[in-house]
Amino acid sequence: MTANKFIQKLLKLKGLFVTDFQFRFREKALNLWVKPHKNGCLCPRCKRRGRLVRKMDAYRVWRDIPICGWSVFFWYCPREIECRRHGRIQEDIPWADLYARVTYRFEYVMLVYCQLMTQKAAAKILHIPKSTFSDMLHRTIARIREGHRIRGLKTIGIDEISYCKGHKYATVVYDLDRSCVVWVGPGKGRETIDRFFTEQLSDYQKRQIKWACCDMSAAYIGAIEHHCPNVTLVLDHFHIVKALNNAVDEVRKEQWREASIDERKALKGLRWLLFKHSSNRSKKDSRILNTLRKGNRRIHRAWVLKDEFEHFWEYNAPWAAERFLKRWTTTALKSRLEPIRDFVKMLRKQMHRIITFVETKLTNATAEGLNRIIRIVKNRASGFRSLPAFTDMIFLTVGDIDIPAQIPSKFRTL
Ligand SMILES: [Zn+2]
């Protein structure tokens, strides 16, 4: 076996011959002079053989996966060919995309590593400076996602997510049936979400959307009901529970402010206890909460209301749920607790969008799960300064297309 062939076998090079090699000790690089199998000369667009016009005089260099500390580079002088259909064009490079400066193999490894670790770590393993790395990643993902259209969207979830310390927000649209992210846009207002509906979806697609789930933000509700004529909107269970919990907490804070030092002792450590769902409460927790009946009537009243509201989520018949909600809101209004009354006002305004939950049982729980993954990615990188970098990582980890799987299968070596 010749040395060239040995290197070819060792590095599992497919679709190309090694014609020469050279070790550069100072740069820790292995340079390989290569040429395509079967003499190449294929058109990059139609993959048909074209007529050779001329050899270009400049070498092009592609970076491959590093091996044992050596950076590996392919050197090749591409030729110009004439295709019957596409005219004069540079021949197809079997190991890399037309304008890429790295091989398909490198792109695949880069994408898989970035799903698993920070870009910084992946850049280090692949011997690339961090600044060039995110650029490279962005170009690869942009190329793979180019021309991709959203398809088969029936159930959507919309939520906001912060991506930077200075309260910068992005709006994320989920496909709740397939549990993936289909779109990310800057901001959390009406213009952002309008852009999604006008730029990404056709009129037919908008009519196909049957269910939607979002929080109580007027921008999201307005946009969904404006753009999708056949939609049933469900307000997200998680956000409603959170709003009620916040109202109860407001009552607690009010009481804390007014309490004397002795009274404060009894109110200590209540916060998380009040938030707990009745099913996860221990006997001790219940005892503490029951002592409030004598200790602090207002907090106790707020807590009882919150506990009663939990039953709403268990109803199966809309009429029964509606009756329950009406009765509950009447009691809650009589409570003379200002934060709770504000919650009730919101509830009354959104009543028809909350009752729909009983029929559909639709929640943003899938979206919350995806959000958790997104948060892990964000924290791993200690935040993202720009939205495009963050969007890349979202699409790579929880996007609607499996990005590494788009690399031709024979280059998916790891
Ligand atoms: Zn062609």
Side-chain angles (χ1 to χ4, degrees):
M1 192 189 283
T2 61
N4 288 346
K5 201 133 199 203
F6 173 72
I7 286 185
Q8 214 168 292
K9 273 244 150 67
L10 185 70
L11 301 186
K12 286 194 184 158
L13 301 177
K14 284 172 196 157
L16 56 91
F17 290 121
V18 174
T19 55
D20 200 3
F21 64 89
Q22 177 196 36
F23 285 94
R24 308 275 300 184
F25 288 92
R26 200 178 297 158
E27 292 110 18
K28 294 205 90 187
L30 168 60
N31 288 336
L32 300 176
W33 278 264
V34 298
K35 69 174 195 187
H37 243 296
K38 298 175 189 159
N39 291 325
C41 286
L42 299 184
C43 168
R45 298 236 187 106
C46 59
K47 304 286 175 195
R48 283 209 197 116
R49 191 171 290 274
R51 190 174 61 81
L52 175 67
V53 177
R54 69 187 174 107
K55 214 169 170 174
M56 298 199 200
D57 31 7
Y59 270 100
R60 273 184 69 189
V61 185
W62 292 264
R63 185 186 277 273
D64 195 36
I65 317 166
I67 173 165
C68 301
W70 296 96
S71 301
V72 179
F73 294 98
F74 291 179
W75 291 68
Y76 178 62
C77 207
R79 291 166 291 188
E80 195 179 327
I81 59 161
E82 186 164 322
C83 170
R84 272 192 205 162
R85 222 190 298 156
H86 299 104
R88 279 192 168 200
I89 199 163
Q90 193 191 93
E91 71 172 319
D92 181 47
I93 306 293
W95 55 84
D97 191 69
L98 193 54
Y99 301 110
R101 295 172 66 181
V102 294
T103 61
Y104 283 131
R105 292 211 304 191
F106 185 93
E107 283 177 345
Y108 178 71
V109 170
M110 174 172 74
L111 293 170
V112 172
Y113 280 0
C114 283
Q115 284 180 333
L116 302 171
M117 55 182 96
T118 59
Q119 290 189 16
K120 205 172 158 191
K124 184 147 196 193
I125 293 176
L126 293 170
H127 300 187
I128 307 262
K130 171 71 179 56
S131 49
T132 6
F133 188 83
S134 42
D135 243 30
M136 221 178 239
L137 186 72
H138 178 73
R139 266 202 302 269
T140 308
I141 292 176
R143 192 191 76 224
I144 289 172
R145 288 191 60 88
E146 195 185 278
H148 170 71
R149 303 283 301 168
I150 296 169
R151 255 184 254 156
L153 205 55
K154 269 192 191 145
T155 313
I156 62 169
I158 299 180
D159 206 352
E160 73 205 29
I161 188 160
S162 77
Y163 65 93
C164 190
K165 265 184 195 159
H167 291 287
K168 283 189 179 172
Y169 287 95
T171 297
V172 182
V173 181
Y174 307 88
D175 181 340
L176 295 180
D177 291 326
R178 288 181 298 165
S179 56
C180 58
V181 171
V182 292
W183 189 78
V184 182
K188 55 175 182 173
R190 177 74 191 256
E191 322 81 81
T192 307
I193 195 65
D194 272 340
R195 257 187 59 204
F196 166 71
F197 283 114
T198 49
E199 287 173 17
Q200 299 293 322
L201 301 181
S202 65
D203 286 343
Y204 174 76
Q205 277 176 311
K206 286 182 208 164
R207 281 199 299 276
Q208 291 299 304
I209 295 178
K210 295 278 151 59
W211 297 281
C213 192
C214 67
D215 61 10
M216 286 84 84
S217 118
Y220 293 163
I221 295 175
I224 292 173
E225 290 186 340
H226 174 76
H227 288 285
C228 313
N230 299 326
V231 81
T232 308
L233 188 70
V234 184
L235 287 186
D236 183 35
H237 162 216
F238 172 86
H239 282 99
I240 294 171
V241 172
K242 199 170 136 196
L244 180 55
N245 278 343
N246 284 345
V248 174
D249 202 40
E250 272 310 307
V251 176
R252 183 191 65 85
K253 277 188 206 154
E254 243 168 48
Q255 293 303 303
W256 177 268
R257 277 194 294 270
E258 287 166 13
S260 65
I261 295 167
D262 278 350
E263 285 167 334
R264 279 188 183 185
K265 267 183 199 156
L267 299 182
K268 238 178 188 172
L270 265 183
R271 185 163 185 221
W272 300 109
L273 219 54
L274 288 170
F275 287 176
K276 265 193 188 173
H277 191 268
S278 58
S279 58
N280 330 325
R281 254 200 314 263
S282 68
K283 271 189 181 158
K284 192 181 156 213
D285 295 341
S286 306
R287 215 161 38 235
I288 296 173
L289 288 167
N290 280 327
T291 57
L292 277 177
R293 195 198 300 253
K294 288 190 191 115
N296 192 310
R297 299 281 297 265
R298 285 175 76 84
I299 299 184
H300 185 260
R301 218 179 303 146
W303 168 67
V304 169
L305 281 170
K306 185 220 125 195
D307 234 30
E308 275 172 5
F309 192 75
E310 277 170 15
H311 295 299
F312 170 74
W313 309 107
E314 288 152 22
Y315 279 97
N316 288 320
W319 60 269
E322 195 174 342
R323 199 184 54 188
F324 169 84
L325 219 50
K326 277 188 179 143
R327 219 182 287 152
W328 186 87
T329 46
T330 319
T331 332
L333 277 181
K334 282 185 201 149
S335 70
R336 281 171 299 169
L337 301 166
E338 212 40 55
I340 300 275
R341 287 167 67 122
D342 288 342
F343 174 76
V344 170
K345 274 179 211 150
M346 185 279 294
L347 210 61
R348 284 211 162 148
K349 217 161 73 189
Q350 308 287 0
M351 184 87 89
H352 58 290
R353 301 189 181 108
I354 295 172
I355 301 282
T356 46
F357 169 85
V358 174
E359 293 163 79
T360 59
K361 299 283 176 198
L362 182 69
T363 68
N364 252 348
T366 324
E368 291 303 324
L370 294 173
N371 266 353
R372 203 159 41 236
I373 301 174
I374 295 173
R375 259 200 302 279
I376 291 170
V377 169
K378 187 182 82 178
N379 295 342
R380 205 162 61 178
S382 19
F384 286 90
R385 233 170 290 155
S386 74
L387 186 59
F390 190 32
T391 311
D392 283 344
M393 290 308 288
I394 292 176
F395 280 138
L396 190 56
T397 46
V398 287
D400 52 347
I401 43 180
D402 183 357
I403 292 179
Q406 307 304 312
I407 302 281
S409 63
K410 66 175 169 179
F411 297 108
R412 277 182 243 150
T413 43
L414 241 189

